[in-house]
Amino acid sequence: MSPLEQTVYLWLEERGVRITEIAELTFFLQSDFYSDVTMEECIENVQMVLTKREVQNAVLTGIQLDILAEKEILREPLLQMIRSDEGLYGIDEVMSLAILNVYGSIGFTNYGYIDRLKPGILCRLNSKSDGKIHTYLDDLVAAIAAAAASRLAHTRSHTSSLID
Ligand code: MG
């Protein structure tokens, strides 16, 4: 595992996100389509998504902005927009597109679906119950899970041997 990838795992853990919780979202997305899908398979797909540089860069950038907002060292008007997770800000969702782009269109619909429903860890990150700012992190986690679901679907189809 590269140092960058290790940092991604460390920062996710520090922000209270476990890989299994992301994989649970992937499982939630795919268990209706594949009755035999396993958590192990979902975890493996999440791990593969996290090997991508585009994904690593988005995760580190987003988490850093959340932390800077928490420490109140961003300049206004950005600070208030990120601290309050303002509805019209939207750049947190745009950042997630960098992740979704890697694995194609299934990822986009899956992302929209769990972004709306907010199952599992997304509910917790959104509730602000731990007193932390997760304006970027909730979208990043949803995007990783959705990209993993897309990868899983592609890997299971017969024409997908080129997916890495
Ligand atoms: Mg957000």
Side-chain angles (χ1 to χ4, degrees), residues 6-7 11 29 38 55 59 102 123 128 137 140:
Q6 282 177 23
T7 308
W11 286 22
L29 283 166
T38 63
V55 175
V59 170
V102 179
C123 178
K128 302 171 177 72
L137 187 59
L140 293 165

Side-chain angles (χ1 to χ4, degrees), residues 85 92 135 138-139:
D85 200 358
D92 42 346
T135 296
D138 63 336
D139 297 291

Side-chain angles (χ1 to χ4, degrees), residues 90-130:
I91 306 301
D92 42 346
E93 281 96 7
V94 174
M95 178 100 74
S96 295
L97 299 182
I99 295 174
L100 298 172
N101 276 334
V102 179
Y103 290 103
S105 61
I106 298 175
F108 289 88
T109 47
N110 281 329
Y111 173 78
Y113 185 58
I114 53 175
D115 185 51
R116 185 77 192 266
L117 278 182
K118 303 208 188 306
I121 188 177
L122 295 181
C123 178
R124 194 182 86 223
L125 291 175
N126 247 277
S127 69
K128 302 171 177 72
S129 55
D130 60 1

Side-chain angles (χ1 to χ4, degrees), residues 40-152:
E40 288 69 34
E41 190 180 3
C42 294
I43 290 169
E44 187 195 316
N45 278 284
V46 168
Q47 288 169 334
M48 288 306 294
V49 169
L50 292 176
T51 65
K52 297 288 186 182
R53 266 305 291 269
E54 302 94 314
V55 175
Q56 296 164 0
N57 293 341
V59 170
L60 295 185
T61 306
I63 288 178
Q64 180 69 93
L65 285 165
D66 281 346
I67 292 171
L68 293 177
E70 228 165 76
K71 294 183 173 174
E72 303 197 18
I73 48 181
L74 287 173
R75 292 179 72 180
E76 294 293 6
L78 202 53
L79 177 61
Q80 266 321 305
M81 287 195 281
I82 296 181
R83 277 188 72 85
S84 63
D85 200 358
E86 193 183 302
L88 290 176
Y89 174 58
I91 306 301
D92 42 346
E93 281 96 7
V94 174
M95 178 100 74
S96 295
L97 299 182
I99 295 174
L100 298 172
N101 276 334
V102 179
Y103 290 103
S105 61
I106 298 175
F108 289 88
T109 47
N110 281 329
Y111 173 78
Y113 185 58
I114 53 175
D115 185 51
R116 185 77 192 266
L117 278 182
K118 303 208 188 306
I121 188 177
L122 295 181
C123 178
R124 194 182 86 223
L125 291 175
N126 247 277
S127 69
K128 302 171 177 72
S129 55
D130 60 1
K132 291 193 156 69
I133 307 286
H134 296 308
T135 296
Y136 277 89
L137 187 59
D138 63 336
D139 297 291
L140 293 165
V141 165
I144 295 165
S150 177
R151 187 181 184 280
L152 191 152

